[in-house]
Amino acid sequence: MIVPNDNRLPPLNGLVLIGGNSQRMGSAKEKMHWHGKEQVYHLADMLGNYCDEVYISCRVEQFDEIADGKEMTSTYAWISDRYTDIGPMGGMLTAFEFRPDRAWLVVACDLPLVDPEAIAYLIQHRDPRRIATAFKSQQDSLPEPLFAIWEPSSLPVLRQMQAQHKLSPRRALIQHQALCIEAPDVNTLVNVNTPAEADSVKAMINNKD
């Protein structure tokens, strides 16, 4: 399913974030097989149905390791972070500085229940007048910055926060009145950071199938 691109909107790119260290999981979250392939490629393939271009955002050492291991193919485009040790904001800033004219649909690799319906819903409710459009967490009603559409107008906000060492993308959404919407499925934003959480989500996926 391809969602038509409205010419009045900034073009939409996709960004899969895999730059975390997966310390609590003990193994690389982007390599987990939730849906028949490594999660990083599952997400990139999904975003490819909705976005003009899709990139995988990783740390420099990840990029070098993947390239050395010949895992990198022409099928997927990769961006290594220009900013180190500042978390997801580093990947987002790097992407925006690469293509500042684009909006970016950002998805973190630790969200295994993101599906085409959720992506389409987010795009349909996108408001380019805001710095971003994001789903609200069911737990605390705060916006989820790592499954959200960030508009080009968010770049100066992110740059200023980075300069001030305020590295929380969620804080940017809250302080600058991003559009926050209810997710169509309460499980969409379930993230996985530990083996116990992984077992729980695997059971949810198996029951759904």
Side-chain angles (χ1 to χ4, degrees):
M1 173 184 177
I2 304 291
V3 175
N5 192 12
D6 187 332
N7 290 330
R8 295 170 297 177
L9 300 177
L12 184 63
N13 278 4
L15 188 69
V16 181
L17 297 175
I18 70 166
N21 291 307
S22 302
Q23 292 179 338
R24 284 183 288 168
M25 180 63 70
S27 60
K29 290 181 284 189
E30 70 272 13
K31 293 182 179 294
M32 299 186 73
H33 285 243
W34 300 105
H35 306 281
K37 65 178 74 170
E38 290 185 8
Q39 175 70 352
V40 56
Y41 302 124
H42 171 71
L43 289 174
D45 290 343
M46 270 201 303
L47 290 180
N49 291 323
Y50 301 89
C51 300
D52 293 350
E53 302 168 353
V54 177
Y55 294 86
I56 299 169
S57 170
C58 61
R59 303 188 311 275
V60 173
E61 59 268 31
Q62 286 176 299
F63 185 92
D64 293 340
E65 180 182 334
I66 292 165
D68 290 343
K70 296 182 173 57
E71 297 175 39
M72 196 171 291
T73 70
S74 59
T75 305
Y76 300 96
W78 299 74
I79 305 179
S80 60
D81 290 352
R82 294 180 56 198
Y83 299 82
T84 59
D85 301 323
I86 66 169
M89 190 177 287
M92 294 165 59
L93 276 170
T94 300
F96 266 120
E97 291 174 357
F98 170 60
R99 295 300 298 267
D101 59 321
R102 301 296 180 107
W104 290 87
L105 201 172
V106 175
V107 185
C109 67
D110 61 359
L111 297 172
L113 300 180
V114 168
D115 58 18
E117 290 74 22
I119 294 172
Y121 191 87
L122 185 64
I123 293 172
Q124 289 162 5
H125 290 80
R126 173 186 176 188
D127 185 350
R129 299 168 298 178
R130 310 285 190 100
I131 69 162
T133 302
F135 287 125
K136 289 191 292 187
S137 168
Q138 295 291 326
Q139 296 179 336
D140 53 21
S141 295
L142 296 177
E144 173 49 66
L146 303 187
F147 181 27
I149 296 173
W150 291 78
E151 301 293 341
S153 59
S154 68
L155 176 54
V157 172
L158 295 175
R159 279 177 170 161
Q160 182 181 35
M161 293 187 69
Q162 186 270 334
Q164 296 172 345
H165 303 288
K166 297 176 181 178
L167 304 178
S168 169
R170 176 173 284 120
R171 178 184 290 186
L173 297 179
I174 295 170
Q175 292 183 345
H176 294 271
Q177 299 181 329
L179 176 62
C180 298
I181 61 175
E182 299 286 347
D185 185 329
V186 295
N187 293 319
T188 298
L189 302 182
V190 170
N191 67 343
V192 172
N193 292 302
T194 67
E197 291 171 352
D199 289 341
S200 175
V201 168
K202 285 177 184 175
M204 293 171 64
I205 293 172
N206 291 336
N207 290 336
K208 186 175 180 180
D209 294 341

